[in-house]
Amino acid sequence: MSLAIEEATPATLAPIAPDRTARALRRLRWRLTVNTLRSLFHGSRLRLSMLIGCSLVFWIGLFVLFLGGFEFIGLNDEFFHSLFEYLFSMFFLSILVMLFFSSGIITYSGLFQSREGTYLLSMPATTDRVFAYKFFEGVGLSSWGFFLLGSPLMVAYGLTIHAPALFYAMFLVYLAMFVLLAGSLGAIAAIVVANVFPRRQRSVLALSVVALLGIGAALASRLWRTPGETLSADWLGNLQNRLAFCQHPLWPSRWMSAGLMAAAKGDWFRTGYYLMVLSAHAALAYLAAAAVARDLMFRGYNLIQGGRASRRRWGLQALDNLFHRVFFFLPRPIRLLLLKDLRTFRRDPGQWSQFFIFFGLLAFYFLNIPRLGYAVQSPSWRNLVSFLNLAVTALILSTFTSRFIFPLLSLEGRNFWVLGLLPVERSQILWGKFAFSVGISLGATEALVFLSDLMLEMSPLMIALHLAMVAVLCTGLSGISVGLGARLPNLRETDPSRIAVGFGGTLNLLVSLVFIFAVVTALAVPCHLYYLGVEHADSTRLALSNASFRFWLGSALAVSLCIGVVGTILPLRIGIKAFERMEF
Amino acid sequence: MIELLGATKRFGARCAVDRLDLEVRPGELFAFLGPNGAGKTTSIKMICGLLSPTSGEARVGGRPSSSPEARRLLGYVPDQPYLYDKLTGREFLRFVVEMHDIESRRAERRILELIETFEMGDFIDELCENYSQGMKQRVVFASALVHDPKALVVDEPLVGLDPRSARIVKDLFVSQARAGCAVLMSTHLLSIAEELADRIGIVDHGRMLAVGGLAELRERLQHEGPLEDLFLKLTDDRRAGAKPASNGVAP
């Protein structure tokens, strides 16, 4: 066999026709999709059925929610129908902004930061072809959630107003065009950011998010102060006036809402008109994105490659010293490991910014409780709201532990052997990660729930009860995430978000949700029945008297404590066992 | 075939490559040596069209290296190769030949040759996610050669290869060069350079310190020892701030 270069190969070659490379990239996508699906079907049945089951439950849940909501409001009423046009415009405007950001971020990392992007740029394809390949991948990744959210909404809407069959096909075309438009705008922004701010992409993102939150807060506050009695005709009229900005004829969201509502009524002329407006703009935006990519993508790639050079990281020695003092009771090697995790957390704005944004929004809402008038409502109502607030805090904490704590051990990846060789028992490493998780989450969640209870003017007993519950939830959620993280690690993946959305991460989130539901319900039910009894002693059969409340509360406390202990210890033990057996 | 003409690459204030001249002729095997951070990978990325020079030029086959025409002539094995986890080795090779628009029968023949050469028959139809480091490296080498490149650029060629695979790769470099291909390899393994290279370029702080055949370098530097001593002498002198030699070795 000879490896000699064939005679037929000329010294210089003509460029390859762009459609040939495009075809090769299309085939690559097809092959990757087929192989991924094949792996999925031949892999764990449990994983596949969980994936399909969860998606179905989510879709059906949303559908039932939307259908119930539409029927409750009474869409056939002309006034509510016109209000819904405003609300749809608002909904699609919010989706437009979210899709713009998510597809922009995904396209940015796909083009400029991924190894695949670099590899494809070394191939004989033009940059606009490479862009097209990565763009549609990015748009797909950023928009599947929109389809999952948008399709039950549209089906429920169509069923409520008895839309013709063609409406259901039409809304899919509308959604696709809308996604293409938002994705193209996001991609243009991504390439421009790479060229103008190659070393400040995170700052640009952070500033944009802050600006958006500011605009969102100003808008929410404006809507909140709509004059008139809630749900009265006067109030609804004023609300429409305040939402008028989203009905501007130049907003793509307006084309979406007007076109879809026309399709639902069977007005095909208007449906076709808005579809043409939307698709023409989507095509133009994609063409502009491809042209921008052709001229600026490679330049941006060059600038970003050079931008990684020298960012000095400061050690913040004082913080490290403080950490050693606070966690003095842990062995020093464990402290050092935790310090490493803490530094990673500190240096990754993706982690702490989400933590602060979500908990910050919750704090904002809790601070506004007096304005909502909840504090002057009946005790049973306030009690219900306080438990709901607690549950929301725990749910957000569970997304945080699933996204950041669960992948901690997986992220050790190829350096996993370092943990195996540490001069400490392996179980201590997991206990250390558990302490880290509890330490980070406990302070924030306790403060939030305390704030919520203060604003709701809850009794000291209930405040103490809620604070104890938060501690149980924090330790349980941390135990679940650390334990399952050690039991189901994904050592091949380096991206924590991908680890979090994998099988282990999804299972972790589901177990966390069941845990929260069990702990909160066990205590919320007797408390709610007691407060119902306080208000309607004669009319409610299930209401609890003072004596039976003490008994049921004590039992509920014991049950939720048991659930908390089992929820903490069991996953940790499973994780420790797996970690001790693990070969490096 | 491969040319850097006064190529400079700046990353902000830092100059990674400083007015570098380099030429690898058809049929030549050129070893590119230098300490960590010397600018080897940056130079290679300029040659492969992944980075554009701040000033100067990078050309392959007389074409700007960022042009698709130049990339058709080039086979590139990076220091951290990329493979699609969800493709088999054979599917990956097919993708590469499709990107290079090679006629399908000729492509299949070439793929079979490379499977045989790199002894990949046992695993080529498994998904790449199941490959060991050495298997991956062999597929990447095959992908760089599957379109019969006129210029082959390899960054750290022997990382992750077992002795048998390393032997195959070394033989392959020589056979490619003898068949008229310009081969540029960047390596830290001085013994490989000593064993295989027709010419050697030693780079440090982005500048070419010396270039020539091994005998030529020894003569210029008046140093009869192994390449390792010569390399250390040159780069240590540079670190110590010694003035450039006046014997033909570039400053």
Side-chain angles (χ1 to χ4, degrees), chain B residues 202 207-211 220 234 238 243-245 247-251:
Chain B
I202 298 175
R207 304 195 71 174
M208 190 68 87
L209 301 184
V211 64
R220 277 191 207 159
L234 263 175
R238 178 91 185 158
K243 286 192 174 177
N247 51 6
V249 177

Side-chain angles (χ1 to χ4, degrees), chain B:
Chain B
M1 177 58 65
I2 297 172
E3 292 168 292
L4 283 178
L5 305 169
T8 297
K9 184 67 188 175
R10 290 188 168 279
F11 295 134
R14 192 169 70 84
C15 187
V17 175
D18 188 9
R19 287 166 288 159
L20 194 73
D21 289 310
L22 174 85
E23 187 189 3
V24 186
R25 293 180 284 263
E28 185 177 47
L29 205 161
F30 188 95
F32 201 31
L33 308 179
N36 292 332
K40 299 189 296 295
T41 298
T42 304
S43 304
I44 283 179
K45 283 187 171 174
M46 286 196 285
I47 290 166
C48 297
L50 288 172
L51 291 176
S52 50
T54 311
S55 63
E57 277 185 88
R59 303 174 77 87
V60 174
R63 302 293 186 99
S65 62
S66 57
S67 65
E69 293 87 349
R71 284 183 202 151
R72 285 196 79 179
L73 296 171
L74 193 78
Y76 172 44
V77 180
D79 53 345
Q80 291 180 320
Y82 180 78
L83 282 178
Y84 289 91
D85 281 350
K86 292 292 180 195
L87 288 188
T88 66
R90 191 189 299 274
E91 286 167 346
F92 181 65
L93 295 178
R94 280 189 184 141
F95 164 64
V96 177
V97 293
E98 280 176 15
M99 284 296 275
H100 284 273
D101 196 21
I102 296 170
E103 191 267 318
S104 59
R105 261 179 302 176
R106 188 179 144 216
E108 282 302 318
R109 206 172 58 236
R110 182 71 177 147
I111 288 172
L112 287 176
E113 280 176 9
L114 288 163
I115 290 172
E116 192 187 316
T117 306
F118 287 102
E119 299 170 2
M120 300 187 292
D122 289 345
F123 60 85
I124 195 71
D125 291 312
E126 285 178 34
L127 290 182
C128 294
E129 65 185 4
N130 299 321
Y131 289 179
S132 69
Q133 177 69 17
M135 290 172 179
K136 284 182 181 172
Q137 194 77 350
R138 280 190 266 171
V139 175
V140 168
F141 265 107
S143 74
L145 294 169
V146 74
H147 60 290
D148 295 319
K150 284 285 188 184
L152 178 63
V153 177
V154 190
D155 202 353
E156 293 300 340
L158 302 183
V159 174
L161 291 178
D162 60 27
R164 185 172 170 77
S165 306
R167 182 75 261 169
I168 293 170
V169 167
K170 285 194 279 186
D171 290 347
L172 187 117
F173 285 161
V174 175
S175 68
Q176 285 287 302
R178 298 305 161 251
C181 182
V183 181
L184 169 68
M185 69 170 175
S186 151
T187 181
H188 287 295
L189 299 175
L190 301 181
S191 58
I192 304 293
E194 207 164 7
E195 182 187 342
L196 301 178
D198 298 317
R199 283 198 305 149
I200 293 167
I202 298 175
V203 67
D204 195 10
H205 290 96
R207 304 195 71 174
M208 190 68 87
L209 301 184
V211 64
L214 186 56
E216 200 180 341
L217 288 179
R218 280 181 179 141
E219 192 183 321
R220 277 191 207 159
L221 290 162
Q222 294 157 7
H223 195 291
E224 283 307 309
L227 178 61
E228 186 179 5
D229 293 346
L230 201 144
F231 175 83
L232 290 174
K233 180 176 187 308
L234 263 175
T235 51
D236 284 350
D237 282 356
R238 178 91 185 158
R239 272 166 179 67
K243 286 192 174 177
S246 58
N247 51 6
V249 177

Side-chain angles (χ1 to χ4, degrees), chain A residues 48-374:
Chain A
L48 183 66
S49 43
M50 265 187 67
L51 197 74
I52 295 172
C54 287
S55 304
L56 275 177
V57 167
F58 187 74
W59 198 95
I60 292 169
L62 280 176
F63 172 72
V64 170
L65 188 75
F66 288 133
L67 193 67
F70 288 145
E71 281 175 353
F72 173 75
I73 290 168
L75 271 179
N76 291 318
D77 182 297
E78 194 51 42
F79 180 74
F80 278 106
H81 195 78
S82 71
L83 178 68
F84 253 80
E85 194 169 344
Y86 281 76
L87 291 179
F88 270 177
S89 294
M90 193 67 209
F91 169 74
F92 286 120
L93 186 60
S94 321
I95 295 288
L96 180 74
V97 173
M98 283 192 259
L99 281 176
F100 170 82
F101 274 94
S102 63
S103 58
I105 291 167
I106 294 174
T107 307
Y108 183 96
S109 56
L111 290 177
F112 302 117
Q113 293 178 324
S114 73
R115 286 174 60 207
E116 187 194 10
T118 301
Y119 171 70
L120 290 176
L121 283 174
S122 74
M123 299 297 278
T126 51
T127 44
D128 52 343
R129 292 289 165 187
V130 175
F131 165 76
Y133 172 79
K134 295 300 291 178
F135 169 76
F136 284 106
E137 179 187 271
V139 164
L141 285 172
S142 63
S143 63
W144 67 267
F146 172 51
F147 278 93
L148 200 61
L149 183 69
S151 54
L153 174 79
M154 285 294 122
V155 173
Y157 177 70
L159 287 176
T160 314
I161 67 161
H162 309 293
L166 192 56
F167 164 78
Y168 300 98
M170 202 52 92
F171 85 73
L172 286 175
V173 181
Y174 263 92
L175 294 188
M177 288 300 122
F178 189 65
V179 162
L180 180 64
L181 176 58
S184 302
L185 296 176
I188 292 173
I191 296 171
V192 170
V193 167
N195 278 271
V196 182
F197 305 104
R199 293 171 207 189
R200 290 277 173 266
Q201 74 273 34
R202 283 185 176 172
S203 312
V204 170
L205 184 64
L207 282 176
S208 309
V209 170
V210 168
L212 266 181
L213 285 176
I215 293 169
L219 190 64
S221 144
R222 189 174 141 76
L223 292 178
W224 205 252
R225 286 185 275 111
T226 304
E229 193 184 332
T230 308
L231 288 181
S232 66
D234 189 30
W235 181 83
L236 288 169
N238 287 326
L239 186 66
Q240 273 192 345
N241 286 339
R242 295 195 168 202
L243 285 173
F245 73 93
C246 65
Q247 288 287 73
H248 193 283
L250 290 181
W251 283 123
S253 45
R254 157 79 182 148
W255 309 333
M256 278 290 281
S257 62
L260 285 172
M261 293 186 94
K265 285 181 185 167
D267 181 351
W268 302 119
F269 178 76
R270 273 170 65 84
T271 307
Y273 169 75
Y274 279 115
L275 183 60
M276 281 192 283
V277 172
L278 186 66
S279 50
H281 280 85
L284 179 67
Y286 175 68
L287 195 66
V292 169
R294 184 197 59 207
D295 295 338
L296 293 177
M297 193 177 105
F298 186 67
R299 183 177 177 275
Y301 176 84
N302 256 282
L303 290 168
I304 287 170
Q305 294 302 306
R308 290 178 187 161
S310 57
R311 271 251 190 122
R312 181 148 187 189
R313 299 286 180 182
W314 299 100
L316 292 179
Q317 193 62 39
L319 266 183
D320 295 351
N321 292 340
L322 180 71
F323 177 84
H324 279 295
R325 269 189 227 117
V326 171
F327 290 96
F328 67 93
F329 51 90
L330 294 172
R332 188 172 166 76
I334 300 293
R335 263 185 281 148
L336 291 174
L337 261 181
L338 291 183
L339 199 57
K340 172 191 70 88
D341 290 337
L342 196 64
R343 279 187 183 139
T344 311
F345 180 78
R346 206 167 64 203
R347 288 170 185 170
D348 184 359
Q351 296 200 32
W352 53 257
S353 62
Q354 287 183 39
F355 188 80
F356 281 113
I357 286 172
F358 283 122
F359 282 120
L361 284 174
L362 262 188
F364 179 74
Y365 153 60
F366 292 161
L367 282 169
N368 276 287
I369 283 175
R371 293 185 61 85
L372 301 171
Y374 291 167

